[in-house]
Amino acid sequence: MKKNLIIFLVTIFVVALCALCVTACRGEKGNNGADGADGVNITGAFVEDGDLYLVLSNGEYVNCGTVVGSDGEDGEDGIDGIGIVDITYNKDGELLIKFANGEVRNIGISPKVCAHKYPDEWVVETVASCVSQGYRYKTCSECGFIKSEITPATGHDWDEENAQTVIKRETCTDCGWQTVICKTCQDSKMVELKPTTHFYQSVHIASEGRYVKECRNCQMRKPSEGLEYKLVNDSYQLTGLGTCTDTDIVISDVVETESGPVPVTKITSGVFTGLDITSVYLSKYISNIDVSTGSLFGGEDCKAINNVTVHSKNKTYRSDGNCIIDIQNKSVVAGCGASAIPSDGSVTTVGQNAFNGVKNLVKIVIPDKVVTLGSMAFAYCENLIQLTLGGSLTTIGSDCFIYCNNLESVQINNVPNIGKRAFAFCPELKEVRLNNGCYRVGEQAFSCCVSLRTVYISDTVEGIAKYAFGGCMALTNLYFGGTKTEWWNASLGVGVAHEGWNKLPPILEGVYNDTPIDNDTIKFY
């Protein structure tokens, strides 16, 4: 039953096709076609032995195959299939189809086939643009039939020669972006400028008085070979000198990898050791300098460093006066023996460990605009002799000048807070003046300064912590600008000085002695 239904459907399809052919083609013998041959029309149709025959105007017959069947069996949907038993024309020239169930369907008169005559030019209704399709058509002058077609989008014509750079490549290893305009529709797009390679040449740097290898396109210096870099997360860190033998160290801006250049962003602690380095150049991407355990240039192996430079396009640090300066925090991060702290207000802090252990630092001036000296900022600067403190300081951090072995005198003005052990263990310190504006002297601030003989303390000082001058075994002259009552109030047991201000810290007993001067032998002025 299923098979019969399929045959029936195929039969109907073929007959319908033939009927359409008859409908479209019946008529007189056609005019010459486009190829110069006579057109052939269908003049009749009949069924014989179940096959459908078409009669052509040139007298030929075309067998269209078997189309006739008896009344079909029940299909899967329960409806009888119906076969075609005859196709004829009536006296009015109308095509009749007779079905097996007796029904006769009148298809109507078949018109002539038109040879269509179109004009040469298309009528453009919608013009194709760079991104959208167009539409055009022609109309037959004989029958009005419309022939149409879609015209494809033309695509952009980008003017790459006149592209405008909107994000410049600051160095050759950066990416950049350009805006490109379409010549046709003025639309625009962003095009990435890929990183390129450096082209190095010898350039004289007047400020440094020497020649260096520098990229002629982006002024990046040629990096030292053999330095050790370590990949951490998405960037590299300088972790050691490796096999590098350069005395002028240039840190690379990127490390080339299989997936492209990766920036060098950090310098770890203790890198510059074991080499007689004279200069250090920080590249553009350095954004983290680890000075948590000591200065970048501290230690015996950094005594020859006299030049520190940061690439001008670095967004985190800059160099001035041979200092590395944190731009946002206005803080000196690291310095060398040749450093001079800027006095223009661009620096307000000397950071933790900034000069810690810098052996060749002989003198330093803290400008008036600097307000804070961080902890251990100048610790272990054993050759520091001349120290000038500015008038705007508010804090001298803990251990700031500890073990400055050659420091001979200190004059401190208007510094409210002197941190714990700030000047401890300075064996050549002979005189200290704590002038107006000083308020607090921290624990062990000047302890174990064994050569300290004379101390002047202003009456603005409100508190001297225990052991502040403990172990100052040569101290014989201590002058206080206030009264003895202000210095020590016997009834209350409190005053300017803690009762143990001149005592030796217990941990140092046996190495140093208590300060010989006490509350009864201080002098007042």
Side-chain angles (χ1 to χ4, degrees):
M1 183 166 56
K2 182 176 181 181
K3 180 177 179 181
N4 291 335
L5 177 61
I6 293 173
I7 293 173
F8 165 69
L9 293 176
V10 172
T11 300
I12 290 296
F13 173 76
V14 174
V15 172
L17 178 62
C18 295
L20 289 175
C21 291
V22 172
T23 302
C25 300
R26 179 172 178 81
E28 300 296 334
K29 185 175 181 180
N31 296 325
N32 287 343
D35 59 358
D38 285 345
V40 180
N41 291 328
I42 299 172
T43 59
F46 61 92
V47 177
E48 184 176 307
D49 297 329
D51 290 344
L52 174 64
Y53 289 87
L54 299 180
V55 182
L56 305 181
S57 58
N58 63 1
E60 295 180 359
Y61 298 87
V62 177
N63 189 336
C64 294
T66 303
V67 296
V68 177
S70 61
D71 192 10
E73 299 178 358
D74 289 343
E76 290 185 358
D77 58 1
I79 301 175
D80 286 346
I82 302 175
I84 296 174
V85 296
D86 196 11
I87 299 176
T88 60
Y89 287 99
N90 63 16
K91 61 184 179 62
D92 296 322
E94 297 173 329
L95 178 68
L96 305 177
I97 300 177
K98 183 177 182 181
F99 297 95
N101 63 359
E103 179 185 351
V104 177
R105 188 169 299 172
N106 189 330
I107 301 302
I109 298 174
S110 300
K112 282 187 176 181
V113 176
C114 183
H116 294 318
K117 294 182 179 179
Y118 295 111
D120 293 334
E121 300 295 329
W122 291 88
V123 177
V124 179
E125 185 171 285
T126 304
V127 178
S129 70
C130 296
V131 295
S132 61
Q133 297 175 329
Y135 175 78
R136 63 182 184 175
Y137 65 89
K138 294 180 178 181
T139 303
C140 175
S141 59
E142 298 289 332
C143 67
F145 182 81
I146 295 176
K147 175 184 179 181
S148 63
E149 66 177 28
I150 301 295
T151 54
T154 60
H156 291 295
D157 182 12
W158 299 112
D159 187 6
E160 296 183 356
E161 291 184 0
N162 296 309
Q164 296 181 348
T165 300
V166 293
I167 300 178
K168 185 180 178 182
R169 274 196 308 239
E170 293 183 345
T171 63
C172 294
T173 50
D174 285 332
C175 291
W177 291 90
Q178 286 184 323
T179 299
V180 183
I181 306 297
C182 176
K183 297 177 182 178
T184 304
C185 68
Q186 304 305 304
D187 197 2
S188 65
K189 69 174 180 177
M190 295 286 285
V191 178
E192 184 179 11
L193 296 172
K194 299 294 185 181
T196 61
T197 56
H198 295 294
F199 185 87
Y200 296 108
Q201 60 186 5
S202 184
V203 178
H204 183 263
I205 306 298
S207 60
E208 301 177 29
R210 58 179 179 150
Y211 283 88
V212 300
K213 290 288 186 179
E214 188 175 83
C215 177
R216 71 178 183 184
N217 297 321
C218 69
Q219 290 72 57
M220 184 67 73
R221 297 191 186 181
K222 185 177 182 180
S224 299
E225 296 180 359
L227 296 176
E228 291 181 349
Y229 300 99
K230 180 181 179 181
L231 181 63
V232 178
N233 297 326
D234 296 328
S235 63
Y236 277 90
Q237 301 179 3
L238 176 64
T239 58
L241 296 177
T243 60
C244 181
T245 58
D246 292 349
T247 56
D248 297 327
I249 299 295
V250 178
I251 302 172
S252 179
D253 54 336
V254 297
V255 174
E256 294 292 342
T257 67
E258 292 183 356
S259 57
V262 178
V264 178
T265 61
K266 182 177 180 179
I267 304 174
T268 59
S269 179
V271 168
F272 300 106
T273 58
L275 195 65
D276 191 19
I277 305 168
T278 59
S279 70
V280 175
Y281 176 86
L282 275 64
S283 54
K284 175 188 171 183
Y285 300 111
I286 298 295
S287 59
N288 187 343
I289 299 174
D290 184 4
V291 291
S292 60
T293 60
S295 172
L296 192 63
F297 307 119
E300 290 289 337
D301 298 310
C302 295
K303 289 191 297 184
I305 292 180
N306 56 23
N307 185 279
V308 179
T309 307
V310 180
H311 190 280
S312 61
K313 299 298 184 180
N314 191 301
K315 293 181 172 60
T316 304
Y317 302 111
R318 68 182 182 91
S319 55
D320 190 353
N322 288 312
C323 296
I324 298 175
I325 300 166
D326 184 321
I327 298 172
Q328 181 176 355
N329 296 315
K330 295 185 175 182
S331 174
V332 174
V333 175
C336 64
S339 293
I341 299 172
S343 59
D344 58 0
S346 61
V347 171
T348 58
T349 301
V350 179
Q352 174 186 2
N353 289 317
F355 291 86
N356 184 353
V358 176
K359 305 298 183 183
N360 58 339
L361 183 67
V362 176
K363 63 179 181 179
I364 193 72
V365 174
I366 308 299
D368 286 339
K369 300 295 178 66
V370 175
V371 297
T372 301
L373 302 181
S375 62
M376 301 192 79
F378 295 91
Y380 299 95
C381 290
E382 58 185 31
N383 291 306
L384 179 62
I385 298 174
Q386 299 179 35
L387 172 63
T388 303
L389 299 176
S392 299
L393 277 175
T394 60
T395 300
I396 298 177
S398 61
D399 301 291
C400 188
F401 293 93
I402 192 171
Y403 288 108
C404 286
N405 294 341
N406 285 288
L407 188 61
E408 295 183 357
S409 66
V410 176
Q411 181 168 298
I412 304 175
N413 300 318
N414 300 315
V415 181
N417 297 295
I418 301 173
K420 185 176 182 179
R421 296 184 303 276
F423 292 89
F425 301 98
C426 293
E428 297 298 320
L429 188 60
K430 296 178 176 63
E431 181 177 286
V432 171
R433 291 180 178 269
L434 305 179
N435 296 331
N436 289 339
C438 296
Y439 297 107
R440 303 281 179 185
V441 180
E443 184 177 333
Q444 301 184 54
F446 295 91
S447 66
C448 303
C449 292
V450 294
S451 298
L452 183 60
R453 294 186 178 90
T454 304
V455 176
Y456 292 89
I457 301 176
S458 168
D459 63 352
T460 62
V461 173
E462 298 176 350
I464 298 177
K466 62 181 179 179
Y467 316 133
F469 292 92
C472 296
M473 298 180 291
L475 183 59
T476 55
N477 298 299
L478 191 148
Y479 298 92
F480 179 59
T483 66
K484 186 172 184 179
T485 301
E486 290 172 332
W487 177 263
W488 181 254
N489 189 321
S491 61
L492 298 177
V494 296
V496 171
H498 186 279
E499 61 180 346
W501 67 272
N502 57 350
K503 301 299 181 182
L504 182 70
I507 193 172
L508 299 174
E509 289 179 357
V511 180
Y512 300 90
N513 296 320
D514 287 346
T515 299
I517 192 170
D518 57 25
N519 292 327
D520 294 327
T521 56
I522 65 170
K523 301 174 183 179
F524 300 91
Y525 68 98

